[in-house]
Amino acid sequence: METLLNDFSPGLFFMQLLILVILIVLLAKFAWKPILTSLDERESGIEDALSAAENARKEMQNLQADNAKLVKEARAEREAMMKEARDVRDAMIAEAKEDAKEVTAALIEKAQASINQEKQAALAEIKKNVAELSIGIAESVIKKELSNKKDQLELVEGILKDVTLN
């Protein structure tokens, strides 16, 4: 340290001090302002970015709320459409059942009419056979010209035994 004090030159010291002061003045005049303005600009840019991020977060929350609302509305609409489809399906089934009942009733009515018609035809056939049988018996009785009732009864009973009904 002693060598440092021995080598000290006051002229060199003042010269270096003058250069340092000039350098600080020049830096203050030309460099500090741009550096400080760029720092201020950066600080305001960061603040703007933070406020933009906060706004984006709020907007994202609003969008999420809107999306939830839209999803809820879509579900409600889907449920309404499903209920309407079920109602239409049930109405179609009920209509088909009613149509089937009507068709069945018509078929049963036709079958009953056909049965009645066949029954009437069968009765007419039986009446015809009875009439023919009665006429045949009457012809036999008349041809024989029986004089007493006993012979007539025997003849009728004999004819009835010979005739078989179908």
Side-chain angles (χ1 to χ4, degrees):
M1 181 102 148
E2 199 174 305
T3 57
L4 191 58
L5 285 177
N6 287 339
D7 290 337
F8 179 73
S9 164
L12 181 62
F13 175 74
F14 286 116
M15 211 39 167
Q16 286 180 350
L17 185 63
L18 179 65
I19 291 174
L20 180 64
V21 169
I22 291 173
L23 183 63
I24 290 175
V25 169
L26 286 177
L27 282 176
K29 186 172 185 179
F30 295 111
W32 288 110
K33 281 186 181 180
I35 290 173
L36 289 177
T37 56
S38 68
L39 285 176
D40 288 339
E41 287 175 5
R42 184 166 185 214
E43 184 179 342
S44 66
I46 290 172
E47 287 175 2
D48 291 342
L50 287 175
S51 65
E54 182 65 26
N55 290 338
R57 185 185 61 80
K58 287 179 183 176
E59 188 174 333
M60 185 63 110
Q61 287 176 343
N62 290 339
L63 287 175
Q64 287 175 343
D66 289 345
N67 284 344
K69 182 180 175 185
L70 287 175
V71 166
K72 187 176 180 181
E73 288 175 1
R75 284 184 182 151
E77 186 176 337
R78 182 192 72 196
E79 288 299 321
M81 289 174 68
M82 292 296 288
K83 183 182 182 304
E84 183 180 339
R86 277 188 233 112
D87 291 345
V88 168
R89 180 197 66 194
D90 292 342
M92 289 175 68
I93 289 172
E95 185 179 339
K97 284 181 180 179
E98 189 63 34
D99 289 347
K101 284 181 183 177
E102 289 176 6
V103 168
T104 304
L107 288 175
I108 289 173
E109 188 178 317
K110 285 181 183 179
Q112 286 176 343
S114 176
I115 290 170
N116 285 337
Q117 194 176 24
E118 291 292 327
K119 182 179 174 183
Q120 293 298 326
L123 285 176
E125 183 68 27
I126 289 174
K127 285 180 183 179
K128 180 182 168 191
N129 287 343
V130 169
E132 287 177 0
L133 183 62
S134 297
I135 291 174
I137 290 172
E139 282 180 357
S140 298
V141 170
I142 291 176
K143 282 184 184 175
K144 193 144 190 199
E145 292 184 329
L146 299 173
S147 56
N148 66 17
K149 238 181 174 179
K150 182 181 173 191
D151 290 339
Q152 285 179 357
L153 284 174
E154 287 177 3
L155 180 62
V156 169
E157 286 177 8
I159 292 172
L160 286 176
K161 285 181 184 175
D162 290 342
V163 175
T164 57
L165 291 176
N166 293 339

